């Protein structure tokens, strides 16, 4: 039986061969594949029958991704381990919390990691990249939405300096009612060392 590497060695090995690349139009199929796989594997149980397929087709369909890759305010990044895509991040450079200037905010729209690659600091590397991009674009606020029952994600973001801002709801048909509650969380870069 394969017992695998001890956790610290696994982390070092994965990090050593990990790279993050900004996606371009020529990367459309790679992006489409990792978006669909990472979302499905993480959220398959959040949907009523038929809802997951509809959502994936709408949010990660080729036409949607092509349009977003052509938008200068939307950026996608994919993390690769040994050349295989294992996670992605989507940021919006022109989005802020309600009633705040969109030009001063960066929305961390998505960070999704294939479940078998969680625990390897990939999320942290992507989040650090988002903060670097925010700072280089002179953004004051980095913000996101997180499902309010996803305690692991909330803890991850709190450790990174995010705090609760307000509650809202996911408004997608066929998304399970008990999971629709979300928090807006934010990190004020003008007041933090992040």
């Amino acid at each position: 039986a394969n017992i695998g590497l001890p956790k610290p060695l696994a982390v070092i090995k994965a990090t050593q061969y990990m790279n993050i690349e900004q996606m371009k139009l020529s990367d459309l199929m790679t992006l489409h594949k990792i978006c669909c796989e990472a979302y499905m594997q993480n959220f398959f149980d959040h949907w009523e029958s038929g809802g997951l397929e509809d959502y994936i087709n709408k949010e990660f369909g080729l036409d949607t991704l092509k349009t977003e890759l052509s938008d200068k305010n939307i950026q996608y990044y994919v993390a690769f381990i040994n050349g295989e895509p294992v996670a992605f991040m989507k940021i919006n450079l022109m989005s802020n919390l309600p009633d705040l200037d969109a030009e001063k905010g960066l929305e961390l729209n998505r960070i999704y990691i294939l479940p078998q690659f969680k625990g390897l600091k990939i999320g942290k590397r992507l989040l650090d990249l988002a903060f670097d991009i925010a700072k280089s674009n002179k953004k004051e606020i980095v913000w996101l939405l997180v499902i309010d029952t996803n305690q692991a994600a909330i803890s991850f973001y709190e450790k990174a300096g995010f705090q609760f801002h307000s509650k809202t709801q996911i408004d997608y048909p066929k998304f399970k009612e008990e999971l629709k509650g979300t928090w807006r969380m934010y990190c004020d870069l003008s007041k933090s060392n992040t």
Side-chain angles (χ1 to χ4, degrees):
N2 180 2
I3 58 169
L5 295 170
K7 185 75 169 175
L9 288 177
V11 172
I12 291 166
K13 185 171 174 55
T15 305
Q16 187 176 356
Y17 295 103
M18 186 176 93
N19 65 306
I20 298 171
E21 296 177 19
Q22 184 174 356
M23 296 290 97
K24 305 175 295 296
L25 217 39
S26 58
D27 302 311
L28 180 64
M29 295 311 292
T30 299
L31 180 62
H32 173 68
K33 182 175 184 258
I34 187 60
C35 287
C36 293
E37 285 181 15
Y39 188 85
M40 269 194 275
Q41 290 183 31
N42 282 289
F43 297 103
F44 66 91
D45 59 349
H46 286 50
W47 295 89
E48 305 293 347
S49 179
L52 178 63
E53 296 79 9
D54 292 347
Y55 180 82
I56 284 180
N57 289 334
K58 179 180 180 289
E59 294 294 320
F60 305 124
L62 293 175
D63 288 340
T64 299
L65 292 175
K66 198 180 296 184
T67 299
E68 290 184 339
L69 286 170
S70 301
D71 184 333
K72 66 180 175 46
N73 292 313
I74 295 175
Q75 296 178 357
Y76 279 92
Y77 294 86
V78 171
F80 294 86
I81 291 182
N82 298 329
E84 288 299 312
V86 298
F88 78 97
M89 173 176 71
K90 175 185 173 185
I91 59 174
N92 184 338
L93 294 168
M94 194 61 70
S95 176
N96 209 334
L97 293 164
D99 304 321
L100 295 179
D101 183 354
E103 289 187 17
K104 294 182 179 179
L106 179 145
E107 179 185 5
L108 181 56
N109 189 265
R110 308 177 194 283
I111 289 184
Y112 298 141
I113 302 164
L114 292 175
Q116 65 270 35
F117 293 97
K118 289 184 176 179
L120 300 178
K121 307 279 186 224
I122 297 167
K124 171 94 172 79
R125 293 264 308 266
L126 288 167
L127 189 55
D128 288 346
L129 176 61
F131 280 128
D132 289 345
I133 293 165
K135 288 173 187 171
S136 69
N137 283 277
K138 300 188 177 13
K139 302 296 183 178
E140 295 175 7
I141 300 284
V142 175
W143 74 281
L144 55 90
L145 289 174
V146 61
I147 295 173
D148 63 11
T149 56
N150 189 344
Q151 198 52 55
I154 290 170
S155 294
F156 170 75
Y157 292 123
E158 286 175 339
K159 285 179 193 160
F162 284 82
Q163 54 191 324
F164 174 82
H165 177 271
S166 56
K167 292 183 178 190
T168 187
Q169 288 249 146
I170 292 175
D171 189 27
Y172 289 112
K174 300 182 184 174
F175 197 81
K176 289 184 178 174
E177 199 62 41
E178 65 273 18
L179 298 172
K180 285 188 174 187
T182 56
W183 284 8
R184 289 183 190 97
M185 295 184 77
Y186 75 102
C187 187
D188 187 339
L189 298 181
S190 67
K191 296 178 182 174
S192 88
N193 296 328
T194 307

